[in-house]
Amino acid sequence: RPAPAPPSSPGGGPVSSFPGSVKLLRGGLVQLDPASSAIVDVIVFQYNPDTVTRTMQPRGMTGEPGDRLEVLRLTGPPHETIKLEAEFDAVEHLDTPKHSDPRNAPVIEGGLLPALASLEALITPSADQLLATDALFDQGALEVAPTEAALIVLVWGIKRVVPVLVGSLSITEEAFDPQLRPIRAKASLELKVLTTNDLPMTHLGSTLYVSYRRTAEALAALVASTDVRPLGLEHLP
């Protein structure tokens, strides 16, 4: 597992012990109110995952076999899923007195229960929403429109800020304190990237996805080439 993050600066960001070294960025998930764009919650990965698996399937025309006019037509952005595993360890916080860093207080009082609960909230309606929906059913409402959930955004560096939907969440609790509060855990996340095919173009998520694609296109342009000689060819046949 990666070493614990370096000490925090007065502004809260991690700093390095060596002058001039690169600042460590953390990955995480941000919940946004889709109507106001206000930040609802920020979940910062305590340790950056060792691996991130991205799977993309093209979205193309599905014409009849042998239809030579359709095979190269892309109808929209690819289906993209992202899988990662985040690790959490309370020991780092428990070794620091609460009064020296207020951010350690939730861990000292509840172990990893608060951090894991924030992950569960990504896919769970609030208790008030559940009670409100049940009350509408009791009143004889035939159709209840669910409340729109917060928009989840995966932030993996400044070049990868992309709206996602949590497809699955698996939590493994590996160690506990005497009160059975977890003090070490892993969370496996499968995220579906939300595209302009999933959301209206006026939605905040579509705006973020278009920006994500433009950033990727700009990065691809940095290495674009028309030289086939490294492939052993002078030109294509």
Side-chain angles (χ1 to χ4, degrees):
R1 188 176 66 233
S8 297
S9 65
V15 296
S16 171
S17 303
F18 302 96
S21 60
V22 178
K23 178 181 178 180
L24 172 66
L25 296 181
R26 306 277 191 93
L29 298 166
V30 179
Q31 285 184 283
L32 298 174
D33 184 323
S36 65
S37 302
I39 295 177
V40 177
D41 191 22
V42 178
I43 300 174
V44 181
F45 298 147
Q46 184 179 3
Y47 302 99
N48 285 331
D50 291 328
T51 60
V52 174
T53 303
R54 301 168 60 229
T55 303
M56 285 166 279
Q57 296 177 312
R59 198 190 305 260
M61 297 291 289
T62 55
E64 295 297 325
D67 191 344
R68 300 176 183 176
L69 296 178
E70 308 297 343
V71 66
L72 296 180
R73 296 183 187 274
L74 297 176
T75 61
H79 302 279
E80 181 176 356
T81 57
I82 300 173
K83 295 181 181 180
L84 55 86
E85 188 175 81
E87 297 187 22
F88 299 88
D89 196 327
V91 174
E92 177 185 343
H93 299 276
L94 296 176
D95 286 342
T96 305
K98 180 168 59 175
H99 65 270
S100 64
D101 190 343
R103 290 174 298 179
N104 292 330
V107 180
I108 294 173
E109 296 172 7
L112 293 179
L113 288 175
L116 299 181
S118 67
L119 289 173
E120 295 170 25
L122 296 173
I123 57 173
T124 310
S126 69
D128 288 341
Q129 290 172 336
L130 294 174
L131 292 174
T133 300
D134 186 67
L136 289 173
F137 278 118
D138 289 343
Q139 295 168 14
L142 297 179
E143 183 176 349
V144 179
T147 304
E148 184 176 4
L151 176 66
I152 303 171
V153 180
L154 172 66
V155 179
W156 192 255
I158 61 175
K159 299 292 186 180
R160 289 182 177 175
V161 180
V162 58
V164 297
L165 184 69
V166 179
S168 69
L169 168 64
S170 176
I171 297 175
T172 303
E173 300 175 2
E174 300 179 332
F176 302 87
D177 67 6
Q179 284 74 46
L180 293 182
R181 297 173 299 192
I183 56 175
R184 190 168 67 246
K186 292 180 181 178
S188 299
L189 287 155
E190 181 173 335
L191 309 172
K192 176 186 182 295
V193 173
L194 295 177
T195 73
T196 51
N197 271 41
D198 302 306
L199 301 166
M201 286 300 297
T202 55
H203 195 280
L204 172 61
S206 288
T207 301
L208 289 171
Y209 181 75
V210 171
S211 177
Y212 169 68
R213 289 312 316 156
R214 290 193 186 279
T215 300
E217 291 165 6
L219 292 171
L222 296 176
V223 293
S225 173
T226 58
D227 186 4
V228 297
R229 288 175 296 178
L231 306 177
L233 300 173
E234 291 297 326
H235 55 79
L236 288 177

